[in-house]
Amino acid sequence: MKEIQIFSGFSHVILEVFIAFLPLVIMFLIFQFWLLKFPKYKVLNIFKGLVLTFIGLVIFLQGVYVSFFPVGKTIGVALGSLEHNWVLIPIGFILGFVATFAEPAVRVLTYEVEKASGGYIPKQIMLYTLSLGVAISISLAMGRIIYGIPLWYFIIPGYLTAFIIMHYSTPEFIAIAFDSGGVATGPMTVTFISAVALGVASVIEGRNPLIEGFGMISLVALSPILTVLLLGLLFTRKESKDE
């Protein structure tokens, strides 16, 4: 019975990933014959990577459908039903930090930032900065659900603050900051923590899951922008002191 549940809808997931991959493969083949003209061994290595990526995506998405979503919602319902549900705020902080710390896309971004900057911006500092920013945003999102605070109370002041800090930041950190916002909203956050938020909103009286449960991702996208811009100010201040 457990095997049936684990592999339920597996063929549908394979079809979804295949449809998503097919245009990429076709485009690569067109550019290979028309422009790139890579040697055979390199094309073979690329296709090996595509096969591994395909398998990984299928397994990951199947895990999301049969595990992440239901477990996240169950946890959210259990925590939201607590008498002292304010504990969701620190728990949200921990979940946000851990999820971002384990996010593959964040790891790739921090590596590329360190590489492109020649080690000037260490990947560990970037990783902790992004994890801290998302942790704060998740705790704010949980507080918003508990106390019914409108989303725009956070979004409008947040982006106004970001635009003000941009005026004093460097172009390099501005570019990294806005890329970080998109990267932080990766599969770990979207699949698990959003399910927790929906579970919480569904059990708290007077909360509409469509209003309070969603919107969390917008906070997650905003917080890394602010934290990376602030990190840029610290780097600029350090440079001024060194000079």
Side-chain angles (χ1 to χ4, degrees), residues 96 100 130 133-139 141 151 155 159 180-186 189-190 193-194 215-227:
T100 308
L130 293 176
V134 174
I136 294 171
S137 68
I138 298 297
S139 60
L151 180 63
I155 295 297
Y159 275 104
S180 301
V183 169
T185 56
T189 303
V190 174
I193 301 181
S194 62
M216 182 196 68
I217 304 302
S218 62
L219 287 176
V220 174
L222 170 63
S223 59
I225 296 173
L226 292 171
T227 52

Side-chain angles (χ1 to χ4, degrees), residues 48-126:
K48 285 179 181 177
L50 287 171
V51 170
L52 291 174
T53 305
F54 178 86
I55 294 170
L57 276 174
V58 169
I59 295 172
F60 174 77
L61 287 175
Q62 182 66 11
V64 165
Y65 291 140
V66 302
S67 177
F68 263 35
F69 280 150
V71 169
K73 190 170 183 180
T74 303
I75 292 173
V77 170
L79 293 174
S81 302
L82 294 174
E83 183 180 355
H84 302 290
N85 53 17
W86 58 266
V87 297
L88 279 163
I89 296 174
I91 289 174
F93 183 92
I94 296 169
L95 288 176
F97 189 93
V98 172
T100 308
F101 203 81
E103 181 67 62
V106 171
R107 296 277 178 163
V108 172
L109 176 71
T110 56
Y111 170 78
E112 292 293 343
V113 168
E114 183 181 62
K115 183 180 175 182
S117 65
Y120 175 69
I121 308 173
K123 61 181 179 182
Q124 287 299 323
I125 291 179
M126 277 294 298

